Amino acid sequence: MSSEATPSGTLRDTVRAGVRDLSAIWWWFLALGVLWTWFGMFVLSYRVGSLAAVAAFVGVAFLFGGLTQLMVASRVESWRWMFIVAGILGVAAGILTFVWPSITLYVVSILVAWYLIVFGIVHLVSALAGPKLSYWWTGLLLGAAELVLGVWAVRSWQRSLVTLVTLVGVWAIFHGVSEIFAAFTLRQAGKRVEQLVR
């Protein structure tokens, strides 16, 4: 009798610990979604004289995006290598944006294009191969939008930077909303697990 109770108690404790981890991740994704949305709104309200500030924010966005992917990689088991590669590329893009300040806007236009392509592929694969939680389709739409914007930017980087920066602003808002959906999905999943444990 006691031998059966012990594994059950251990399993229950493990599940409750997992719920606590989900709660922590939920707040992280919510805050990240708000920051991405705010960043997108800032980009869309810029003036021509503040392009340097926009470039700096894009560099910070690269760093945060890369660090987020690395944090996700530490918590997932399937496709971990892809999150690691995307995270390293994001961090590298952020560093390069700050290292080349004299040609920052040119560098940003190139890095944004490839950033969108890489993360578009990552989000598409994650949405299609990952578990189908609530709102999983937001990741699919995000990946498709990133891929289309990235391919367009690579083919037309010599065009107006204003247009490219505007696209980045729209993408950032969409990405932020997607992160907020992910946050509430994690919260809902955590509540369901907690109800099952009781």
Side-chain angles (χ1 to χ4, degrees), residues 2-12:
S2 60
S3 62
E4 291 180 0
T6 304
S8 177
T10 304
L11 177 62
R12 183 169 296 177

Side-chain angles (χ1 to χ4, degrees), residues 120-177:
I121 294 171
V122 168
H123 288 132
L124 277 174
V125 173
S126 298
L128 293 173
K132 300 300 184 285
L133 300 173
S134 300
Y135 310 113
W136 69 272
W137 50 269
T138 59
L140 187 66
L141 291 178
L142 176 64
E146 287 172 333
L147 195 55
V148 169
L149 289 175
V151 171
W152 176 86
V154 165
R155 296 184 54 155
S156 59
W157 59 266
Q158 70 275 20
R159 293 183 188 173
S160 173
L161 274 174
V162 174
T163 304
L164 181 60
V165 171
T166 301
L167 287 173
V168 171
V170 172
W171 167 80
I173 291 175
F174 191 84
H175 186 73
V177 172

